[in-house]
Amino acid sequence: MNRQKSGKQRTNISVDAETLDAARALDLNVSSISNAALAQAVREARARNWADENAEALKERKDWLTANGLPLARHQTLKTE
């Protein structure tokens, strides 16, 4: 893998020409924006994968809380009921 000292790696992407022209005209850092958007997409995909992998445990926890309530609810100082 060809990584530079900053931890960044060169790659090629295809973007709409009109959008790229507008970004350049506005002096936007296309690389930085692309990196941020890709990082956000990775975070969202990881969160979806985690939720899918843990769906059964999350359902069991929700069912337990529905049946038993919050474990320390009686010690709450602010009651919403």
Side-chain angles (χ1 to χ4, degrees), residues 15-28 30:
V15 295
D16 179 72
E18 187 176 326
T19 302
L20 183 59
D21 290 343
R24 287 179 175 160
L26 294 166
D27 199 27
L28 297 176
V30 175

Side-chain angles (χ1 to χ4, degrees), residues 11-75:
T11 190
N12 293 319
I13 62 171
S14 297
V15 295
D16 179 72
E18 187 176 326
T19 302
L20 183 59
D21 290 343
R24 287 179 175 160
L26 294 166
D27 199 27
L28 297 176
N29 184 329
V30 175
S31 180
S32 178
I33 293 168
S34 298
N35 189 65
L38 185 58
Q40 179 65 30
V42 167
R43 283 191 298 275
E44 291 172 1
R46 285 180 175 160
R48 280 191 307 274
N49 288 345
W50 184 91
D52 290 345
E53 292 169 3
N54 293 285
E56 185 177 340
L58 293 170
K59 183 186 179 316
E60 289 173 8
R61 170 96 171 132
K62 181 179 176 184
D63 292 345
W64 188 92
L65 288 172
T66 299
N68 299 295
L70 293 173
L72 301 174
R74 68 179 183 273
H75 298 293

